[in-house]
């Protein structure tokens, strides 16, 4: 009996030793991985290695509906030495950091329209750009009439926070004179064919154009031209001839899209479950976003080289759903088309017709 007790005790001691050694080894491995990741993240400047050209970062390809692969609408561009962000949906600023986009170098922000999902992350974006960039002037924020009210609201909401950061980090990092945004309302001629150059700097031209997102009174898309490369962002719209005109010959078109059949299935399920409010909303949104077929038609008529669907409805938690989303659009556009998710980077080198794509994470 005594031998048995000693044997059991020995087994327990060995097991405990193995557990302790394993725990220590796990800590050591974790420390090694952490140290390596920190060194790599702070030593690399992925943007600096990009060739001269126009580079598009998808920091938000989603909608207000929860989507594990997509934040709210957000697209960032590097064109030469210019750094521009279009829309500031929730989570977009953090995704830009994950993508190693130089948030502190942002030169201007552009809003397509003033729906909440396109600007509810603006406060965080402005704060991060201010602190990480050591700004000494507020960020220009371009947008439709009403952008001054939106920017002023975010400035007010973040005022108290800014005093803490200035006191903590000092004016070299958090200069109170550089915090927040400076609204730049875009005034455009009335009518469905309105277009206006709204930004020119460093060889980059940004043209705003009217789209149709009724009942939103002023909804814009944007075309970005740099050297011989061009990208168009639709904003939110149905099929729109003005978008087709503004997109003529563009290399890349990022177009919002709503699959009616898929959303209608969701509406039916919501109604059957007694969720009448959600069912009504899903019904209401059917007629103020382009369908994938509409977007493909616009891309074909404009003669763009590649079509990317972003701000896609409904949420698609798996890439397996992408083919279903695009199935009726496939025959309407001859070029490449795909459904975007967060983390994609499209690179359009100057002096080339190529469009390269990589996943940042």
């Amino acid at each position: 009996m005594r031998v048995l007790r000693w044997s059991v005790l020995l087994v327990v001691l060995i097991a405990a030793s193995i557990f302790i050694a394993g725990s220590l080894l796990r800590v050591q491995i974790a420390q090694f991985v952490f140290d390596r990741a920190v060194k790599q993240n702070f030593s690399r400047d992925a943007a600096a290695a990009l060739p001269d050209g126009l580079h598009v970062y998808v920091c938000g390809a989603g909608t207000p509906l929860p989507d594990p692969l997509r934040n709210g609408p957000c697209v960032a561009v590097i064109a030469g030495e210019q750094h521009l962000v279009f829309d500031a949906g929730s989570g977009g600023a953090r995704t830009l950091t994950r993508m190693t986009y130089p948030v502190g170098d942002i030169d201007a922000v552009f809003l397509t329209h003033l729906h909440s999902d396109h600007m509810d992350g603006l406060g965080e974006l402005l704060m991060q750009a201010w602190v990480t960039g050591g700004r000494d002037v507020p960020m220009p924020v371009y947008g439709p009439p009403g952008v001054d009210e939106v920017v002023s609201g975010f400035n007010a909401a973040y005022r108290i926070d800014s005093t803490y950061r200035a006191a903590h980090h000092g004016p070299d990092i958090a200069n109170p004179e550089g915090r927040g945004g400076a609204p730049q309302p875009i005034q455009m001629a009335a009518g469905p064919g309105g277009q206006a150059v709204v930004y020119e700097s460093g060889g980059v031209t940004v043209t705003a154009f009217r789209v149709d997102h009724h009942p939103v009174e002023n909804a814009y898309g944007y075309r970005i031209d740099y050297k011989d490369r061009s990208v168009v962002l639709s904003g939110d719209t149905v099929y729109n001839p003005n978008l087709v005109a503004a997109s003529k010959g563009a290399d890349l078109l990022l177009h919002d899209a709503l699959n009616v059949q898929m959303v209608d299935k969701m509406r039916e399920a919501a109604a059957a479950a007694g969720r009448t409010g959600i069912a009504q909303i899903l019904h209401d949104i059917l007629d103020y976003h382009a369908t994938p077929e509409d977007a493909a038609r616009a891309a074909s008529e404009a003669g763009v080289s590649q079509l990317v669907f972003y701000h896609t409805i409904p949420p698609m938690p798996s890439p397996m759903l992408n083919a279903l989303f695009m199935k009726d659009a496939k025959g309407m556009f001859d070029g490449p088309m795909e459904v975007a998710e967060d983390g994609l980077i499209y690179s359009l080198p100057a002096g080339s017709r190529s469009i390269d794509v990589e996943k940042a994470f």
Side-chain angles (χ1 to χ4, degrees):
M1 183 65 72
R2 182 177 297 174
V3 172
L4 179 61
R5 285 201 298 268
W6 279 109
S7 298
V8 171
L9 179 59
L10 180 61
V11 169
V12 171
L13 289 173
I14 292 172
S17 299
I18 293 173
F19 177 79
I20 293 171
S23 298
L24 292 174
L25 184 60
R26 284 196 296 270
V27 171
Q28 291 173 339
I29 292 173
Q31 185 70 60
F32 172 79
V33 171
F34 175 77
D35 292 346
R36 183 178 180 182
V38 168
K39 183 177 180 179
Q40 288 179 340
N41 286 337
F42 280 95
S43 63
R44 68 175 178 151
D45 185 356
L50 294 172
D52 185 33
L54 208 165
H55 307 277
V56 179
Y57 288 64
V58 180
C59 41
T63 71
L65 299 172
D67 187 330
L69 300 179
R70 299 168 181 87
N71 290 312
C74 174
V75 175
V77 167
I78 298 176
E81 296 184 354
Q82 296 293 299
H83 300 79
L84 311 173
V85 174
F86 296 83
D87 282 336
S90 180
R94 300 183 190 192
T95 296
L96 283 177
T97 300
R98 290 183 65 196
M99 297 175 76
T100 70
Y101 184 89
V103 173
D105 294 336
I106 296 172
D107 295 291
V109 177
F110 299 80
L111 301 180
T112 59
H113 62 294
L114 303 181
H115 264 148
S116 60
D117 59 311
H118 290 256
M119 50 80 169
D120 53 12
L122 181 61
E124 182 176 14
L125 180 66
L126 294 177
M127 184 274 291
Q128 288 196 16
W130 168 50
V131 174
T132 61
R135 297 185 63 87
D136 55 11
V137 293
M139 178 75 70
V141 181
Y142 294 80
V147 69
D148 47 352
E149 180 179 346
V150 168
V151 173
S152 296
F154 278 109
N155 287 346
Y158 278 73
R159 185 194 65 78
I160 295 174
D161 171 83
S162 72
T163 64
Y164 300 148
R165 297 185 188 278
H168 193 187
H169 303 301
D172 290 342
I173 292 177
N175 181 353
E177 297 299 317
R179 79 170 187 91
Q184 309 290 321
I186 296 173
Q187 302 296 338
M188 196 179 299
Q195 295 188 25
V197 173
V198 297
Y199 184 89
E200 290 183 289
S201 182
V204 179
T205 300
V206 178
T207 304
F209 55 90
R210 286 191 181 276
V211 294
D212 183 0
H213 194 42
H214 181 80
V216 177
E217 292 184 5
N218 294 291
Y220 301 156
Y222 292 99
R223 176 172 176 142
I224 306 99
D225 287 278
Y226 175 69
K227 294 189 173 179
D228 56 348
R229 306 312 302 263
S230 53
V231 172
V232 175
L233 309 174
S234 71
D236 285 7
T237 185
V238 295
Y239 169 82
N240 186 258
N242 198 39
L243 179 145
V244 173
S247 303
K248 288 292 185 181
D251 294 295
L252 184 66
L253 170 61
L254 278 76
H255 205 302
D256 73 315
L258 179 150
N259 186 296
V260 173
Q261 292 78 20
M262 295 172 76
V263 172
D264 211 37
K265 286 286 186 182
M266 295 173 62
R267 181 195 61 77
E268 291 173 358
R275 303 184 66 179
T276 57
I278 296 296
Q280 182 63 48
I281 291 171
L282 291 171
H283 173 270
D284 292 342
I285 66 174
L286 292 174
D287 64 354
Y288 80 151
H289 285 285
T291 64
E293 304 86 76
D294 291 332
R297 173 187 167 197
S300 180
E301 292 177 356
V304 304
S305 298
Q306 185 166 334
L307 171 63
V308 174
F309 298 106
Y310 85 122
H311 195 46
T312 47
I313 309 169
M316 289 176 285
S318 168
M320 293 178 61
L321 295 171
N322 293 352
L324 176 63
F325 184 85
M326 296 187 294
K327 71 181 180 68
D328 292 332
K330 284 290 188 180
M332 304 186 70
F333 176 63
D334 293 334
M337 70 169 68
E338 65 180 327
V339 176
E341 59 185 58
D342 295 0
L344 292 176
I345 303 173
Y346 295 89
S347 290
L348 291 68
S352 169
R353 303 316 303 164
S354 68
I355 301 176
D356 303 316
V357 61
E358 64 173 302
K359 193 77 162 65
F361 53 78

